[in-house]
Amino acid sequence: MEEIQTIRISVRNLVEFILREGDIDNRISGSMEKDAMQQGSRLHRKIQKRMGSGYRAEVPLKFQYPCDCFMLQIEGRADGIMEEADGIVIDEIKGVMRDLDHITGPVGVHLAQAKCYAFFYGTQNALEEIGVQMTYCNLETEEIKRFRETYSVGELKKWFEELVHAYEKWARYQIEWKELRNNSIRRTEFPFPYREGQRELVSSVYRTILRKKKLFIQAPTGVGKTMATIFPAVRAVGEELGEKIFYLTAKTITRTVAEQAFDTLRGTGLRYKVITLTAKEKICFCDTPECNPEACPYAKGHYDRVNDAVFDLISHTEELTREVLEEQAQKFQVCPFEMSLDIALWVDAVICDYNYVFDPNAHLKRFFSDGGSGGYLFLIDEAHNLVERGREMYSAAIYKEDILSIRRLVKAEAPKLAKRLDECNKQLLELKKECETYQIQESVSHIALKLMNVIGEMEKYLEECEAGEKREQVLEFYFQVRDFLNIYDVLDENYVIYTELEAGGRFRLKLLCVNPSVNLQSYLEQGNSTIFFSATLLPIHYYKKLLSTETDDYAVYAESMFPEKHRLLLFGRDVSTKYTMRSEKMYERFAAYILQMVLGKTGNYMVFFPSYRFMEDVYACFMELLEQSGIQTVECILQSQFMGEEAREIFLENFEEERVGSLVGFCVMGGIFSEGIDLTADRLIGAAIVGTGIPQVCTERELIRQFFDRMGMSGFDFAYLYPGMNKVLQSAGRVIRTEEDKGVILLLDDRFLGRRYREMFPREWSGYQICNLNEVTKITEKFWKGK
């Protein structure tokens, strides 16, 4: 007898999905209410404790509803079940930030959750009628407002069946598509002949997923790591080892590579739905993304139409390109960004930026807000970027000047809010008096308390304030304070709290996340397995320490297949970027090195510098050298500090053009051209890396150094050496992209010859040569002649 499949869904997800309606409107406090729900669990417990012995809190309930060919299981947790003299009452508690006077009745989806629990309990306990109570509690004042109604279980049954019937087609789609997809996965083979070491990589990824572990992969460019991670993850999904793949990247170009890998597998017969999430600003149909029904026709009535748009699309196509999504959004007159987030629920793989999973303010709440395991498989590309991105996402700051600015703005019309802001300002003023440059703080609980009061008053102000520029400024500050308090809630031993008087005179209080691994883990544990991979994940212990809390993670070093004779790795020993050595003479020496490399063979080159200032100084010397030498066959282009997308594309297009002479692109290490660009074959035949990439000394770097020193680890390495060397490796990685590529990598700084740096070289850098300025042209000419 064939086993009947069970589709599970939470009560909250069911009612929010089926019963949502109306407009998208970011002017009302919807986003604030969502935050309140996240923050309200402590208050839930407080209310529950007050309710006496006849009150049972957090009661798990589930209900199975038989549908045609499958069972639908709806489950959740009732906040409270009260046994009273005249019967049972289900209690649903919602923490809100709004003034309770503005709440005149229960919100539809809140009441629907309570009605589901009432139906489950009433049916399972053979009751004829049951009470439903909605308890709203203001998070700041802890004031409570209740709404109560009694329903017959018969009318709840009729209401619930209508709800389930509306969802039934979605559940049936899920089952039918999964069967189709899994059958195709079983027939899917690796689409290329395996490169050397690639089969082992595929096996390592599969075994890691099977064992529900994490894997760190150091894999040089050209190993084929994208396909070597996607293919085994897809196979694992087909074997029920994961529900959905999240392919996470920091750059647009790597998203394109992932899309191409899935397309290649689909070309061999795989049925697999993949969506790439595009940022709201880029996909919005309006000039500026103002998400309210007055400014945007797609926001008006969006929730009335979006479910039809999503079902129509997933039922009729497996192509979910940006063009297809935009066309569908136009057809149904809905917001393309919000629609794409909804479609993500029904696909097999989501390609997106890190922040959709890890950022506490931007993560996809539909996947990552309820805790527990979603059975996700996380493939994290360019994982070296996640350290700094993690630090940014889990840090927060508040500026004294911003508090004063908002106080001045609202003083006349909101004296109570102005008073609360004044209290905060005074506390920060006390800290400012004690601070000459920066100062570490042990605790800021007194300031956090005052900011909580500010949040409550700002909430009231925003409820009553008409739309306009003033409201926008207050709203923006509201989110700053909210972010600060959210980060304050997760402070632990991985943070440093400090105040700083900035060079421009602004004074800030910052919660700096030094080690983001614990915060990242809270999201990663909602998946079954995580694969971190990059061409520059060295030294591996640094990334393990900052990206994972586990001690038994796996690690693999994928060997490079490039013939060593295709790469010339040169170290210039008679130059230095140390501050004490910087001079006009040294800049001229760097310029001479670059010219000698370029004279070795006509072609395209990139030169990477530690800063814009350094780059401009050497560029000026280089142009002078060209003029003195009478060389007219070398063209130069310079990266500018604030390049938009169009300017970047124009810069890179220079490398695609056919030319008689050579092209030298002057760039900054760690910038937009030092990673994620793919110039194969003769589009780039050499790169010079000027300096060791060490970040500039600043307050935060020094705090990171001190933090790891206190832990008995090398603080200098964690704060400066490892991040710097990663920039060097990324820049050098622009040259050799495929097995056929041939190129020169010239490292210019005598520090590279020190033991600490050489220990961080990738294995494939073993065949390097050391040279001085006079030898460069001779060595490079010899290399290009194949000698």
Side-chain angles (χ1 to χ4, degrees):
M1 185 177 158
E2 196 178 329
E3 191 182 336
I4 291 180
Q5 279 203 58
T6 298
I7 294 285
R8 294 171 57 199
I9 187 168
S10 73
V11 167
R12 183 170 167 181
N13 286 348
L14 176 67
V15 300
E16 287 186 354
F17 177 61
I18 295 297
L19 300 177
R20 58 189 177 166
E21 58 186 8
D23 310 326
I24 298 173
D25 196 341
N26 65 356
R27 297 168 306 177
I28 56 174
S29 55
S31 56
M32 300 175 204
E33 296 295 357
K34 281 179 190 166
D35 293 326
M37 287 176 206
Q38 303 302 317
Q39 295 167 18
S41 53
R42 283 195 301 272
L43 200 55
H44 271 51
R45 291 192 288 275
K46 206 168 177 180
I47 294 167
Q48 288 160 345
K49 279 177 188 168
R50 288 188 201 141
M51 297 300 291
S53 57
Y55 190 98
R56 284 186 292 143
E58 302 298 325
V59 182
L61 293 169
K62 68 179 176 186
F63 190 84
Q64 289 196 323
Y65 188 88
C67 298
D68 187 21
C69 303
F70 65 93
M71 184 71 74
L72 190 60
Q73 182 169 301
I74 304 103
E75 50 201 39
R77 197 179 287 271
D79 291 331
I81 297 179
M82 296 180 280
E83 294 176 26
E84 298 184 344
D86 52 353
I88 300 290
V89 178
I90 301 293
D91 190 25
E92 182 71 17
I93 304 168
K94 296 293 179 190
V96 295
M97 287 172 153
R98 298 172 68 191
D99 188 324
L100 295 186
D101 290 342
H102 293 287
I103 299 175
T104 54
V107 176
V109 287
H110 297 168
L111 181 60
Q113 276 180 258
K115 284 168 75 174
C116 283
Y117 295 132
F119 170 64
F120 298 172
Y121 191 88
T123 304
Q124 288 159 2
N125 291 277
L127 303 179
E128 286 187 12
E129 63 175 32
I130 189 165
V132 169
Q133 176 172 284
M134 285 303 309
T135 300
Y136 286 97
C137 183
N138 183 286
L139 286 171
E140 186 204 359
T141 63
E142 297 192 10
E143 184 190 347
I144 285 173
K145 191 169 193 176
R146 293 188 169 98
F147 303 93
R148 188 184 280 205
E149 199 164 335
T150 302
Y151 296 92
S152 77
V153 173
E155 68 179 301
L156 286 174
K157 181 174 188 281
K158 189 181 175 195
W159 170 85
F160 179 75
E161 283 177 345
E162 285 175 11
L163 181 71
V164 166
H165 288 317
Y167 185 73
E168 207 173 330
K169 69 175 183 179
W170 297 89
R172 184 170 289 106
Y173 160 81
Q174 220 174 324
I175 289 169
E176 289 169 359
W177 171 252
K178 190 175 174 183
E179 189 179 347
L180 199 66
R181 180 199 71 190
N182 288 359
N183 285 337
S184 78
I185 291 173
R186 283 188 275 275
R187 295 190 298 270
T188 302
E189 298 294 334
F190 197 77
F192 310 114
Y194 280 107
R195 298 174 186 176
E196 193 181 332
Q198 201 175 28
R199 189 188 293 274
E200 289 74 21
L201 203 52
V202 168
S203 301
S204 298
V205 172
Y206 181 81
R207 278 196 303 272
T208 303
I209 294 170
L210 183 64
R211 294 168 187 168
K212 298 192 172 184
K213 294 284 203 180
K214 293 196 193 89
L215 172 65
F216 287 80
I217 301 171
Q218 156 69 23
T221 303
V223 170
K225 56 186 177 289
T226 306
M227 187 60 81
T229 51
I230 285 176
F231 173 72
V234 167
R235 290 300 292 257
V237 169
E239 291 168 29
E240 310 280 325
L241 299 175
E243 288 176 18
K244 192 188 295 282
I245 294 170
F246 278 91
Y247 191 101
L248 309 175
T249 77
K251 299 273 191 303
T252 308
I253 187 98
T254 38
R255 267 165 251 170
T256 308
V257 173
E259 287 167 354
Q260 288 165 352
F262 279 112
D263 284 344
T264 300
L265 289 172
R266 280 203 296 266
T268 67
L270 176 69
R271 308 287 297 276
Y272 215 76
K273 293 189 180 179
V274 182
I275 190 168
T276 300
L277 297 180
T278 305
K280 185 191 285 188
E281 292 72 23
K282 290 184 179 177
I283 203 170
C284 180
F285 293 142
C286 304
D287 293 335
T288 51
E290 281 189 66
C291 306
N292 66 70
E294 284 179 23
C296 174
Y298 303 95
K300 189 167 180 61
H302 166 89
Y303 292 115
D304 300 329
R305 300 182 294 275
V306 71
N307 283 5
D308 290 339
V310 171
F311 194 79
D312 177 66
L313 192 63
I314 61 175
S315 305
H316 292 102
T317 183
E318 291 172 35
E319 285 287 314
L320 297 170
T321 61
R322 179 170 167 179
E323 293 71 32
V324 168
L325 294 171
E326 287 175 345
E327 197 177 302
Q328 186 76 349
Q330 290 279 15
K331 179 180 166 186
F332 282 83
Q333 289 289 287
V334 293
C335 166
F337 177 71
E338 289 294 332
M339 184 191 74
S340 66
L341 297 186
D342 284 336
I343 289 167
L345 284 166
W346 304 98
V347 301
D348 310 300
V350 179
I351 300 171
C352 60
D353 187 88
Y354 300 150
N355 65 342
Y356 288 106
V357 173
F358 299 119
D359 190 325
N361 299 318
H363 72 261
L364 301 170
K365 289 186 171 66
R366 60 202 77 203
F367 294 110
F368 304 111
S369 60
D370 290 334
S373 176
Y376 310 128
L377 304 180
F378 297 114
L379 306 181
I380 302 179
D381 197 358
E382 303 287 7
H384 61 275
N385 285 304
L386 191 52
V387 173
E388 288 304 327
R389 284 286 295 276
R391 281 186 180 137
E392 283 169 33
M393 289 188 281
Y394 304 120
S395 297
I398 203 93
Y399 281 85
K400 181 182 178 299
E401 290 72 22
D402 292 348
I403 290 172
L404 277 175
S405 169
I406 298 297
R407 180 178 161 273
R408 281 195 294 270
L409 200 66
V410 301
K411 193 176 178 182
E413 58 197 301
K416 202 170 174 188
L417 172 55
K419 184 172 180 286
R420 296 294 200 196
L421 289 162
D422 198 42
E423 288 167 4
C424 281
N425 180 57
K426 281 175 182 166
Q427 288 183 328
L428 285 172
L429 184 61
E430 288 304 310
L431 293 177
K432 186 178 179 180
K433 285 174 185 171
E434 298 165 11
C435 181
E436 287 181 27
T437 51
Y438 74 90
Q439 188 165 3
I440 293 175
Q441 304 292 331
E442 287 305 311
S443 168
V444 287
S445 54
H446 58 302
I447 291 174
L449 203 61
K450 295 291 184 192
L451 287 171
M452 285 176 200
N453 295 336
V454 166
I455 277 269
E457 288 302 323
M458 272 199 288
E459 176 68 27
K460 288 175 194 167
Y461 176 86
L462 291 164
E463 282 281 349
E464 291 154 14
C465 181
E466 292 297 315
E469 195 180 327
K470 189 183 280 192
R471 189 185 190 282
E472 281 301 307
Q473 286 175 259
V474 176
L475 186 62
E476 192 179 326
F477 182 67
Y478 170 90
F479 287 128
Q480 275 179 44
V481 176
R482 178 207 66 175
D483 295 349
F484 187 91
L485 290 172
N486 284 347
I487 296 301
Y488 174 78
D489 275 346
V490 297
L491 284 182
D492 62 10
E493 68 279 4
N494 295 297
Y495 277 81
V496 172
I497 308 169
Y498 73 97
T499 49
E500 182 180 27
L501 194 57
E502 293 181 343
R506 277 165 65 81
F507 180 73
R508 70 173 176 171
L509 167 62
K510 181 149 186 183
L511 313 175
L512 172 65
C513 178
V514 179
N515 182 350
S517 60
V518 172
N519 288 321
L520 292 169
Q521 179 64 22
S522 66
Y523 293 99
L524 292 176
E525 64 194 13
Q526 295 186 50
N528 282 357
S529 181
T530 302
I531 314 297
F532 297 98
F533 54 104
S534 170
T536 57
L537 220 49
L538 296 173
I540 208 87
H541 73 87
Y542 167 73
Y543 291 100
K544 279 186 168 185
K545 178 74 185 168
L546 297 181
L547 297 178
S548 173
T549 57
E550 311 290 340
T551 54
D552 59 349
D553 296 328
Y554 303 150
V556 170
Y557 196 120
E559 298 293 339
S560 171
M561 311 137 322
F562 296 123
E564 204 172 294
K565 61 183 182 182
H566 281 193
R567 180 198 291 111
L568 173 62
L569 189 60
L570 271 181
F571 291 84
R573 65 180 162 210
D574 49 356
V575 276
S576 175
T577 57
K578 287 179 187 168
Y579 282 99
T580 52
M581 301 288 286
R582 293 186 185 185
S583 65
E584 189 70 21
K585 208 163 186 59
M586 187 59 80
Y587 297 144
E588 287 168 3
R589 202 167 185 76
F590 279 115
Y593 254 110
I594 296 161
L595 184 58
Q596 293 304 310
M597 174 181 71
V598 173
L599 293 176
K601 185 185 177 181
T602 300
N604 294 343
Y605 296 84
M606 276 188 172
V607 188
F608 296 95
F609 293 87
S611 68
Y612 284 96
R613 177 71 190 272
F614 203 120
M615 175 182 74
E616 285 156 8
D617 287 339
V618 174
Y619 173 77
C621 293
F622 187 77
M623 296 309 284
E624 206 173 303
L625 191 57
L626 286 180
E627 199 177 323
Q628 288 168 2
S629 313
I631 297 170
Q632 296 180 342
T633 54
V634 177
E635 188 186 332
C636 297
I637 52 173
L638 197 68
Q639 178 183 345
S640 63
Q641 210 155 350
F642 305 105
M643 284 179 120
E645 211 161 309
E646 193 181 345
R648 275 183 255 174
E649 282 172 17
I650 292 167
F651 186 93
L652 288 173
E653 278 166 11
N654 282 286
F655 289 87
E656 302 291 345
E657 290 171 13
E658 296 297 330
R659 55 170 45 79
V660 178
S662 291
L663 173 70
V664 184
F666 284 72
C667 310
V668 172
M669 240 187 289
I672 48 178
F673 301 118
S674 63
E675 62 176 289
I677 63 163
D678 220 4
L679 298 168
T680 56
D682 59 356
R683 296 299 168 216
L684 189 69
I685 65 166
I689 291 96
V690 176
T692 56
I694 283 179
Q696 284 190 314
V697 175
C698 65
T699 301
E700 289 200 354
R701 286 283 145 198
E702 283 301 287
L703 289 170
I704 293 167
R705 181 182 63 76
Q706 293 163 19
F707 176 91
F708 286 106
D709 279 341
R710 284 195 301 274
M711 290 179 67
M713 303 165 90
S714 173
F716 177 79
D717 292 355
F718 271 73
Y720 295 101
L721 189 65
Y722 299 154
M725 198 58 192
N726 190 277
K727 288 184 200 171
V728 170
L729 296 175
Q730 279 293 327
S731 302
R734 296 316 94 212
V735 179
I736 307 280
R737 309 300 296 168
T738 69
E739 282 177 83
E740 291 73 42
D741 287 3
K742 203 171 178 187
V744 174
I745 298 167
L746 176 61
L747 274 78
L748 298 174
D749 197 306
D750 56 7
R751 284 178 284 185
F752 284 121
L753 303 174
R755 180 182 56 80
R756 289 169 89 182
Y757 284 95
R758 280 184 287 122
E759 282 173 353
M760 284 189 289
F761 291 171
R763 290 175 193 171
E764 56 273 16
W765 277 21
S766 56
Y768 61 84
Q769 293 182 52
I770 299 167
C771 68
N772 60 35
L773 178 57
N774 302 326
E775 298 167 327
V776 179
T777 307
K778 190 167 71 175
I779 295 171
T780 52
E781 282 177 344
K782 203 170 164 185
F783 165 73
W784 289 117
K785 285 172 183 168
K787 292 180 183 176

